[in-house]
Amino acid sequence: AQSEQVPPLSEANLRVPLLIRWPGHLPENTTVTRSTAAWDLWSTLLDLAGAKRPAQWSDGSSLVSDLSG
């Protein structure tokens, strides 16, 4: 039997939930409907650390404003 394979960039692979727990900053049961990508996490971590994003990074945007309420 031939198994069905999902292409790597299919809709099924792109929509993966992101769960974040950040006591004291993010209220419980908060839902953010904004689409994000893995490279947004790096921009977010740099923003939280107070570091500047390298000039050559054109992708990714910080999620801090979405997480701050």
Side-chain angles (χ1 to χ4, degrees):
Q2 186 177 12
S3 65
E4 291 186 37
Q5 291 186 348
V6 178
L9 292 178
S10 72
E11 178 102 8
N13 288 333
L14 293 176
R15 292 189 175 205
V16 179
L18 172 64
L19 303 176
I20 298 175
R21 183 174 184 266
W22 194 12
H25 297 277
L26 184 63
E28 290 185 28
N29 300 315
T30 298
T31 301
V32 177
T33 58
R34 173 187 188 274
S35 294
T36 61
W39 44 84
D40 293 331
L41 296 178
W42 294 115
S43 294
T44 303
L45 293 173
L46 287 172
D47 197 10
L48 290 171
K52 291 185 180 181
R53 192 167 88 164
Q56 67 270 25
W57 284 17
S58 60
D59 291 332
S61 54
S62 176
L63 304 173
V64 171
S65 63
D66 295 303
L67 301 176
S68 301

